[in-house]
Amino acid sequence: IKVADAEGKDVSLRNLLLNRCQKEFETQNEYEQALLEKQKQFKGLSAKERQIRKEEIDEALAKNKRRMLGNIKFLGELFKLKLLTENIVHDCVLKLLRAGDEESLESMCKLLFTIGEDLDSDKAKPRMDQYFDQINRIIIAEKVSSRVIFMLRDVVELRQNEWVARREGHYNPKTIEAQIEKMQEQRLAVQFPVMNKKQKQGGPGNIMEQALWKMQKI
């Protein structure tokens, strides 16, 4: 498909999209670096002025990140339509993984869930292995929320099963919440084994056990 670019020249739609996406990434990276540099220029400002500037920069960084994530989602859709090469999408996955914040990790999970099977070719296996080594380290570290950890585990499980879902509900919030609740119950069972024994017998025992039993019910 031929379309006109900004200069009125005929170019293919694929090349136009590639150039646009590349420009967006470069612009967003430059903008983010510029914002981070501004944070270093707070010296000499009052505490109130520093707080105002910090809030402005944080808001701008968040807005820039949302735009970046939107572009990455768009790239995933283009890849499914065979309009983008694997290398571009691999760059997106790596960028999200390196960012490491919960929003980026969640977007990475959704991207891999959608196009992971197509990316996981024999040629790209070393790359994918590196991604999943890092994902497993994040899971073990448990420095992100339980919700994100379960999403990461779902992606790992999906790849282990050759990208065939073993159950419905990948990335289903209800499923994730149920897993979190189950995990919390298991932790309580380990912490308060006496309480669980009394529950099986029909209720809590002494006053302390009653209090613990009520805590579990909250």
Side-chain angles (χ1 to χ4, degrees), residues 33 43 68 71 73 80 85 92 113 118 125 164-165 172 192 198:
Q33 290 301 317
K43 292 181 179 179
M68 179 196 74
N71 285 335
K73 183 178 180 181
K80 287 195 294 184
T85 63
C92 292
F113 183 70
D118 296 317
K125 188 178 183 301
V164 177
N172 185 324
F192 308 121
K198 292 294 182 180

Side-chain angles (χ1 to χ4, degrees), residues 156-170:
V156 171
E157 179 185 327
L158 194 60
R159 191 191 188 210
Q160 289 173 344
N161 201 39
E162 298 182 352
W163 302 101
V164 177
R166 293 182 179 178
R167 65 181 187 278
E168 295 181 358
H170 278 285

Side-chain angles (χ1 to χ4, degrees), residues 17-215:
L17 289 170
L18 285 173
N19 292 336
R20 178 65 178 177
C21 291
Q22 181 65 32
K23 186 177 180 180
E24 282 288 331
F25 272 112
E26 291 175 354
T27 301
Q28 286 162 8
N29 287 333
E30 291 171 0
Y31 182 57
E32 183 174 346
Q33 290 301 317
L35 289 172
L36 293 174
E37 283 296 321
K38 281 187 177 182
Q39 288 184 332
K40 300 177 182 179
Q41 302 172 6
F42 286 175
K43 292 181 179 179
L45 299 177
S46 66
K48 184 176 181 180
E49 288 175 328
R50 285 198 300 270
Q51 182 62 28
I52 292 173
R53 294 285 183 85
K54 183 179 183 303
E55 289 175 358
E56 290 175 348
I57 290 176
D58 287 345
E59 183 179 350
L61 284 170
K63 184 177 180 180
N64 189 59
K65 180 163 289 185
R66 287 194 298 270
R67 185 174 180 180
M68 179 196 74
L69 295 177
N71 285 335
I72 288 173
K73 183 178 180 181
F74 179 59
L75 289 177
E77 295 300 322
L78 292 178
F79 180 72
K80 287 195 294 184
L81 295 173
K82 309 299 182 185
L83 292 173
L84 294 182
T85 63
E86 286 187 16
N87 285 337
I88 294 174
V89 184
H90 276 295
D91 288 342
C92 292
V93 175
L94 186 59
K95 185 178 182 67
L96 291 169
L97 190 56
R98 284 178 173 173
D101 60 277
E102 295 197 354
E103 192 174 22
S104 296
L105 292 175
E106 183 175 346
S107 294
M108 181 199 67
C109 288
K110 292 178 179 178
L111 190 61
L112 288 175
F113 183 70
T114 303
I115 60 175
E117 182 178 6
D118 296 317
L119 285 179
D120 203 4
S121 61
D122 291 338
K123 182 180 178 181
K125 188 178 183 301
R127 271 188 176 185
M128 296 293 286
D129 287 344
Q130 290 178 2
Y131 301 155
F132 280 85
D133 285 344
Q134 180 62 25
I135 289 172
N136 282 318
R137 284 195 288 269
I138 294 172
I139 293 172
I140 293 170
E142 293 188 342
K143 292 183 178 180
V144 294
S145 68
S146 297
R147 181 173 179 275
V148 174
I149 288 175
F150 281 121
M151 293 180 74
L152 293 169
R153 285 177 178 172
D154 273 345
V155 173
V156 171
E157 179 185 327
L158 194 60
R159 191 191 188 210
Q160 289 173 344
N161 201 39
E162 298 182 352
W163 302 101
V164 177
R166 293 182 179 178
R167 65 181 187 278
E168 295 181 358
H170 278 285
Y171 306 111
N172 185 324
K174 292 183 179 179
T175 301
I176 293 171
E177 291 299 329
Q179 292 182 55
I180 294 172
E181 184 177 349
K182 183 177 180 181
M183 183 179 70
Q184 291 172 340
E185 289 177 354
Q186 290 172 343
R187 286 178 177 174
L188 282 171
V190 173
Q191 292 173 350
F192 308 121
V194 175
M195 176 178 57
N196 291 319
K197 182 178 179 181
K198 292 294 182 180
Q199 284 180 347
K200 291 179 181 179
Q201 295 174 352
N206 59 35
I207 294 175
M208 180 60 71
E209 291 171 3
Q210 289 178 22
L212 292 174
W213 185 72
K214 289 179 180 179
M215 285 173 62

